[in-house]
Amino acid sequence: MTDTRAATETFFVPLSKLDADPKNVRKTYSKEGIAEMAATIRADGYRILQNIVVRKGAKRGRFFVTAGGRRLAALNLLAEAGEIAKDYPVECKERSGADATEISLIENTSREAMHPVDEYEAFRVLADGGKPVEDIAARFGTTETMVRKRLALARVSPVLLNLYRDEEMSFQQLSAFTVSDDHAKQVEVWNSLPTWNRDGRSIKSALQSEAMKASDKRIKFIGGIDVYETAGGAVKRDLFDEQNSGYALDVALVERLVVEKLEAEAEKLRADGWKWVECVSELPQEAHYMSRVYPKDVPLTDEQQVELDRLEEEYAELAELIEAGVADDEAEPRADAIRAKMAELADTGEVYDPDDLAKAGCYVLMDYHGRLSVERGLIRPEEEQDESADGTDESSEPVPPRSETQPEPSFSLSAAFAQELTAQKTAAIRAELAHNPDVALAAVVHAMLTSLFHPYGSTDETCLEVKLTSEKLETSIKNPAACKGIATMDDLRENYGHTIPGNPHDLWEWCLEQPSATLLDLLAYAAAKSVNALQLGHYERRKQRVHADRLAQALKIDMTQWFEPTAENYFGRVSKSGIEQALTEAKGADFAAGVSGMKKAEAAAYAQRQIAGTGWLPALLKIAPTADRATEQGVEDQLDRDDCPFDLDDQPETENDQFPEAAE
């Protein structure tokens, strides 16, 4: 029968007679933790709420502390400070030495930290009773910052607090709601955001945003401000806004409309039979490393093939008559109509194999420019593992069983010899390619397109070590959507994206079939994407920018057609001395005279009005006249001086030099 008396009776032991137990599984305590415990004991009148568990020590009258090592260290700290006597009586319970390790392990592993909402409610009771934050922190042995963070939960709706208690949201999500006191708005935001987009940043953005520009990508995504208004959203319009586009005042409604559109597209994809379909706020990093399946061309039916053969025969006859000059006036229009019909028949479209649908999935998201984007055919790693376990390869063909007794190869090549032989082959291919510019053009364009349109794993699709890099300009521009150059390149990419094959394995054959004119257009596009004339904070790239001016001269570029300085994109982001200099250069000193007496915003608006139509550009946007190397050297020398006499980084107090969320 268990002796419960020894487990329940307590007795007092002088502090000086207590020693740390070598059988205690916890050997290390933080100084901060001991100090916090000492503060808690001090705040409670130098009492400990939980008794220390001890066992008899090696010497008569001494005891080892089996459970309560941190409390012992805190009491010793108070004794050293002279706050309590060295023989301060400590209430203890005694257990046998045989149980010491087990008791210590239970003591240190089974304890659960207090729930944050419980802490908040306890702190709130004390705060409502008039206790200052400093006293509450001392009472619970914690920091003032932690107390303030818990008390801030008073701003959060009780509905959300209960959701957190029920583990239906994280503490990071709960904390995000403390930026607002509007409980109804908090609940509305929580319900409007999808489960995959309920991170702290999204919650704060929805709560803090009082208005959203009609040019915001989310407004564009749902179809414009009119769609938002039709859904019952309030709009604020600026009387001086010529486009009268306005601002959406109900950000939560916009977010809900975005989610509804994404989910509607996801439902269509699920109906197509994909194994999984997920809506995401941005493409997950792991998606870039997933394997992928691609659609296959739909074969012609027997009837379509017969019709195509008949049309080809008729077209050949007409072409022969036209070539011989004996065709009538109706021959050429008829030939054009036949050619269009053949193209229509040949364009049967593409479909995914049902087996691929059964193992792959899709991500649905809104892209950087506010357009619907669907990444199809992605295979998760676990699906590939399951497939491998089933004994199938990538083409879903059964892997033949390996023979138990396989003959040994008669010989094998050394790695060095294999490298030499492949070097011989490489040299031969190089020599032949150097004398065949048509195939070389196709090969270079193919290598560039694989890196642009299929950037992940693109090096596996070509043997050419032609690497194209493309600096992402959107991260360097505060409002990239307003940049004409970026918009033009985006349109080109979209047009070419509808032309080139979606499957990178088909791209090589496609390039070989294209006429030189098409390949040259694509080469120009790929080369254009590689242009980099940026001046960086840590590297000015002077020589590269000089060559960029020479390239611009060859292209006969007029930068005034691509950039017009305004208060938003220039004047509001330089100092008033910069505004004065711009006005002086564009219209003379008289127009710049009054700028010094204006407020910054007024001066920027004034400069925009006065300089409009003059063709003035900031120094860094002007194209230097680099006709030859001598001129190039002169421009380099000029760049060594200071092309820009005012500080481009001198921005208004409300501006930030970095724009990580420029697309928001």
Side-chain angles (χ1 to χ4, degrees):
M1 184 174 180
T2 304
D3 183 7
T4 59
R5 181 181 57 81
T8 57
E9 291 184 357
T10 63
F11 59 99
F12 289 91
V13 178
L15 177 60
S16 57
K17 299 291 186 181
L18 295 174
D19 300 310
D21 192 340
K23 291 188 177 182
N24 192 325
V25 295
R26 174 172 287 185
K27 310 296 183 184
T28 306
Y29 303 96
S30 68
K31 293 181 179 179
E32 293 80 1
I34 294 173
E36 289 177 1
M37 177 61 71
T40 301
I41 296 172
R42 181 189 301 114
D44 198 33
Y46 298 100
R47 294 177 297 178
I48 53 174
L49 298 177
Q50 186 177 0
N51 297 327
I52 290 176
V53 178
V54 299
R55 66 183 178 90
K56 287 184 171 63
K59 295 182 180 180
R60 182 180 178 84
R62 301 196 68 85
F63 293 88
F64 286 126
V65 176
T66 301
R70 193 159 70 104
R71 279 162 277 168
L72 174 63
L75 289 169
N76 283 327
L77 182 65
L78 293 171
E80 290 172 7
E83 297 186 40
I84 60 176
K86 292 185 178 181
D87 59 351
Y88 178 83
V90 181
E91 193 169 5
C92 304
K93 289 181 180 180
E94 185 180 357
R95 292 290 182 90
S96 68
D99 300 331
T101 301
E102 183 179 354
I103 293 170
S104 174
L105 188 62
I106 294 172
E107 167 81 7
N108 285 286
T109 59
S110 64
R111 182 171 295 171
E112 182 178 0
M114 193 173 180
H115 194 279
V117 177
D118 293 338
E119 283 185 330
Y120 148 65
E121 291 180 345
F123 294 168
R124 186 188 63 184
V125 170
L126 295 176
D128 291 346
K131 272 192 176 293
V133 170
E134 295 85 349
D135 291 351
I136 297 175
R139 173 66 182 83
F140 284 88
T142 187
T143 63
E144 296 175 21
T145 301
M146 179 58 69
V147 173
R148 289 192 175 92
K149 285 183 178 180
R150 292 293 184 264
L151 291 175
L153 296 179
R155 302 175 184 172
V156 181
S157 165
V159 175
L160 301 179
L161 290 174
N162 287 332
L163 287 176
Y164 176 63
R165 282 186 183 278
D166 296 337
E167 299 183 357
E168 294 184 27
M169 73 165 63
S170 68
F171 188 73
Q172 182 244 16
Q173 292 171 319
L174 183 70
S175 301
F177 286 101
T178 60
V179 300
S180 170
D181 294 322
D182 189 339
H183 288 181
K185 183 71 172 178
Q186 291 173 358
V187 175
E188 179 186 358
V189 165
W190 176 257
N191 291 331
S192 66
L193 292 175
T195 55
W196 45 265
N197 196 30
R198 283 175 172 169
D199 58 280
R201 184 190 60 81
S202 299
I203 292 171
K204 289 179 181 179
S205 176
L207 288 170
Q208 291 178 319
S209 299
E210 296 180 358
M212 182 186 295
K213 285 185 177 181
S215 59
D216 188 282
K217 69 175 184 178
R218 290 166 289 183
I219 296 290
K220 292 180 181 178
F221 181 75
I222 64 175
I225 198 74
D226 294 338
V227 174
Y228 161 79
E229 277 193 284
T230 303
V235 176
K236 177 182 178 182
R237 288 189 165 87
D238 186 351
L239 296 176
F240 298 97
D241 180 4
E242 295 179 358
Q243 297 180 346
N244 199 30
S245 53
Y247 296 80
L249 299 180
D250 192 343
V251 178
L253 175 59
V254 175
E255 295 283 3
R256 179 168 63 81
L257 294 174
V258 168
V259 171
E260 288 176 357
K261 184 171 181 178
L262 290 172
E263 288 293 346
E265 182 65 22
E267 283 302 315
K268 295 178 185 177
L269 293 166
R270 294 184 183 106
D272 290 339
W274 291 101
K275 178 162 187 176
W276 55 268
V277 179
E278 286 187 15
C279 294
V280 291
S281 56
E282 60 183 18
L283 194 64
Q285 187 66 27
E286 59 268 20
H288 300 312
Y289 307 103
M290 291 181 183
S291 299
R292 198 163 196 157
V293 295
Y294 294 93
K296 301 174 182 177
D297 293 330
V298 177
L300 293 171
T301 63
D302 293 340
E303 294 80 3
Q304 289 173 326
Q305 187 63 56
V306 169
E307 176 65 9
L308 184 60
D309 293 341
R310 186 190 67 77
L311 290 172
E312 287 177 346
E313 183 178 348
E314 184 179 354
Y315 181 79
E317 294 174 357
L318 285 173
E320 185 176 348
L321 293 174
I322 294 171
E323 183 70 21
V326 295
D328 57 23
D329 294 339
E330 299 296 326
E332 289 193 12
R334 173 63 181 159
D336 291 340
I338 292 174
R339 189 165 56 246
K341 181 64 176 176
M342 287 192 299
E344 182 181 343
L345 277 173
D347 186 16
T348 55
E350 296 177 324
V351 295
Y352 285 90
D353 188 280
D355 291 338
D356 290 339
L357 291 174
K359 65 183 179 182
C362 313
Y363 284 115
V364 184
L365 64 151
M366 174 177 56
D367 71 9
Y368 182 86
H369 299 285
R371 296 176 296 214
L372 179 67
S373 176
V374 179
E375 294 292 332
R376 296 176 174 85
L378 296 167
I379 303 176
R380 287 173 167 158
E382 56 266 26
E383 292 298 325
E384 292 186 293
Q385 293 173 2
D386 292 343
E387 193 173 341
S388 299
D390 292 338
T392 58
D393 61 12
E394 292 182 356
S395 60
S396 298
E397 294 293 332
V399 178
R402 185 174 297 177
S403 173
E404 294 182 1
T405 58
Q406 294 185 347
E408 292 292 330
S410 57
F411 74 96
S412 61
L413 298 175
S414 67
F417 190 30
Q419 181 174 338
E420 180 180 341
L421 292 177
T422 53
Q424 292 277 358
K425 181 179 180 180
T426 301
I429 295 173
R430 286 182 178 180
E432 290 289 345
L433 186 63
H435 291 87
N436 195 325
D438 291 334
V439 175
L441 175 62
V444 171
V445 171
H446 168 258
M448 288 183 167
L449 292 182
T450 54
S451 63
L452 281 176
F453 287 87
H454 308 285
Y456 304 102
S458 61
T459 55
D460 297 335
E461 301 293 338
T462 177
C463 66
L464 270 65
E465 293 185 333
V466 176
K467 297 182 180 179
L468 184 143
T469 58
S470 180
E471 184 76 21
K472 191 171 180 62
L473 301 179
E474 288 85 351
T475 58
S476 299
I477 300 175
K478 183 178 181 182
N479 185 12
C483 178
K484 295 180 181 179
I486 288 179
T488 300
M489 292 300 292
D490 286 343
D491 290 341
L492 280 174
R493 178 183 174 85
E494 188 170 352
N495 291 337
Y496 287 135
H498 292 303
T499 303
I500 70 172
N503 190 337
H505 302 298
D506 300 333
L507 186 56
W508 172 241
E509 296 295 335
W510 182 86
C511 285
L512 287 177
E513 296 170 357
Q514 301 311 303
S516 296
T518 300
L519 292 175
L520 287 171
D521 286 342
L522 288 166
L523 180 64
Y525 168 74
K529 287 290 287 184
S530 71
V531 172
N532 185 352
L534 290 179
Q535 175 176 312
L536 306 176
H538 60 283
Y539 177 30
E540 293 189 4
R541 309 180 73 256
R542 291 176 179 170
K543 291 185 178 181
Q544 294 94 325
R545 290 191 295 115
V546 167
H547 179 259
D549 280 344
R550 300 181 72 188
L551 178 60
Q553 285 283 312
L555 294 168
K556 297 180 173 59
I557 293 177
D558 179 4
M559 277 302 301
T560 60
Q561 300 298 313
W562 296 93
F563 183 89
E564 181 179 2
T566 64
E568 181 180 2
N569 67 18
Y570 184 77
F571 299 116
R573 298 168 59 192
V574 299
S575 63
K576 286 202 289 184
S577 63
I579 296 176
E580 289 180 19
Q581 175 157 337
L583 285 165
T584 301
E585 292 176 1
K587 302 195 72 172
D590 292 343
F591 285 87
V595 168
S596 60
M598 299 180 185
K599 293 182 178 179
K600 178 65 177 293
E602 294 174 352
Y606 172 73
Q608 176 177 328
R609 293 193 302 271
Q610 293 298 325
I611 290 181
T614 64
W616 179 89
L617 288 172
L620 288 174
L621 284 174
K622 294 177 182 177
I623 297 172
T626 52
D628 51 33
R629 288 295 298 173
T631 308
E632 175 186 329
Q633 185 61 45
V635 172
E636 279 199 52
D637 294 340
Q638 183 181 356
L639 286 171
D640 282 338
R641 301 190 303 266
D642 191 1
D643 267 345
C644 199
F646 47 84
D647 184 6
L648 281 173
D649 292 331
D650 181 12
Q651 299 185 20
E653 291 76 12
T654 57
E655 294 289 343
N656 191 325
D657 192 39
Q658 302 296 324
F659 315 116
E661 297 179 3
E664 289 298 314

